Amino acid sequence: MPAAGAGVRLGGEVPKALRELRGESLLAHAVKRAAAAPSVGLIVVAAPPQLLREVRELLAGVDAEVLVVAGGASRQESVAQALAVVPDGIEIVLVHDAARSLTPPELVESVITAVRAGHGAVIPVLPVVDTIKRVGPSDDVVATVDRSELRAVQTPQGFRREVLVKAHAEAGGEHTDDAGMVERLGLPVHCVPGSESALKITRPVDLIIAEALLAAAGEEIR
Ligand code: CTP
Ligand code: MG
């Protein structure tokens, strides 16, 4: 679980993972929900290097096996650091943004189920609701993209361990998600339905939306 980002777009005094939603850190929300998926046995958190002690304390109460390691300068590096300490014998690895703090355990489990069913790489996706246009350097529209072919991609992304390890070792360059690295290797990536609750808390408005989701769901969103 990459959680080492600063949260520049969200703003605020502390790194994003430690920002609170209804009295609990975004990171604890994410870890608790991921841990509630029946097939999750271990969560490795890549935390801001200067906050390892705080993060370990914060997660001490969570009912799950949790390892906390120092993250890196990019999301990709943070994932690589976490992947490096996954113990031998674990064959399915999910990569999940701490910033998708309200992701339901059911979505986590459905990604695992799809990997178990034989897909080497699995991503949760939603249809795109906006019209998307390609725009040139002088702000003139170049084309309207056929929306029916587009999907917005979420996490957790699930992998057979060897596929993810190979992707990180060989893909090179900068990627905004892990499946992109698998695609670069020419390997297949399979889509499953995502969840609106798995929104990435990125800008201040997302924190407001997340608050509203928690309020609306009451006991349903844990
Ligand atoms: N992340 C990470 N290590 C980094 C950068 C990002 O582990 N060096 C993590 C974030 O903590 C987050 C996830 O990757 O859980 C998705 O990144 P994003 O939403 O972009 O978070 P930030 O990078 O913190 O936000 P910003 O880009 O606005 O600074
Ligand atoms: Mg970022």
Side-chain angles (χ1 to χ4, degrees):
M1 182 175 289
V8 172
R9 286 167 291 180
L10 188 60
E13 303 283 290
V14 295
K16 183 156 78 176
L18 300 190
R19 288 291 294 279
E20 291 195 349
L21 191 56
R22 294 211 155 188
E24 193 160 48
S25 66
L26 292 180
L27 178 59
H29 274 288
V31 168
K32 268 174 43 178
R33 287 175 178 76
S39 299
V40 169
L42 168 69
I43 298 175
V44 183
V45 173
Q50 74 282 14
L51 292 173
L52 291 185
R53 193 168 42 83
E54 285 85 344
V55 165
R56 288 194 179 109
E57 277 168 18
L58 194 90
L59 297 175
V62 175
D63 185 21
E65 199 183 329
V66 178
L67 279 176
V68 180
V69 299
S74 67
R75 179 186 182 280
Q76 202 168 319
E77 272 180 48
S78 295
V79 172
Q81 313 268 45
L83 189 56
V85 304
V86 173
D88 290 346
I90 292 179
E91 289 176 2
I92 296 176
V93 178
L94 273 56
V95 181
H96 183 37
D97 292 329
R100 297 186 188 272
S101 311
L102 300 186
T103 300
E106 293 76 16
L107 177 61
V108 178
E109 193 66 21
S110 77
V111 169
I112 298 169
T113 300
V115 177
R116 284 202 179 120
H119 300 288
V122 174
I123 58 174
V125 303
L126 289 178
V128 171
V129 292
D130 293 311
T131 295
I132 307 277
K133 294 187 194 287
R134 192 169 292 122
V135 176
S138 47
D139 282 344
D140 294 318
V141 171
V142 175
T144 300
V145 184
D146 178 7
R147 189 170 67 187
S148 68
E149 288 190 346
L150 300 179
R151 302 290 182 274
V153 178
Q154 303 181 317
T155 73
Q157 301 190 345
F159 305 90
R160 296 222 57 87
R161 180 193 188 137
E162 64 273 15
V163 170
L164 184 61
V165 168
K166 188 175 159 68
H168 271 264
E170 296 176 21
E174 281 298 308
H175 300 266
T176 54
D177 76 343
D178 299 275
M181 303 165 73
V182 173
E183 292 156 41
R184 180 68 69 86
L185 299 181
L187 297 172
V189 175
H190 183 70
C191 299
V192 297
S195 162
E196 283 169 13
S197 301
L199 83 157
K200 185 156 73 73
I201 299 172
T202 306
R203 300 148 302 173
V205 67
D206 300 316
L207 214 44
I208 295 167
I209 294 169
E211 283 269 5
L213 280 172
L214 272 181
E219 291 302 301
E220 276 173 50
I221 290 190
R222 283 161 293 157

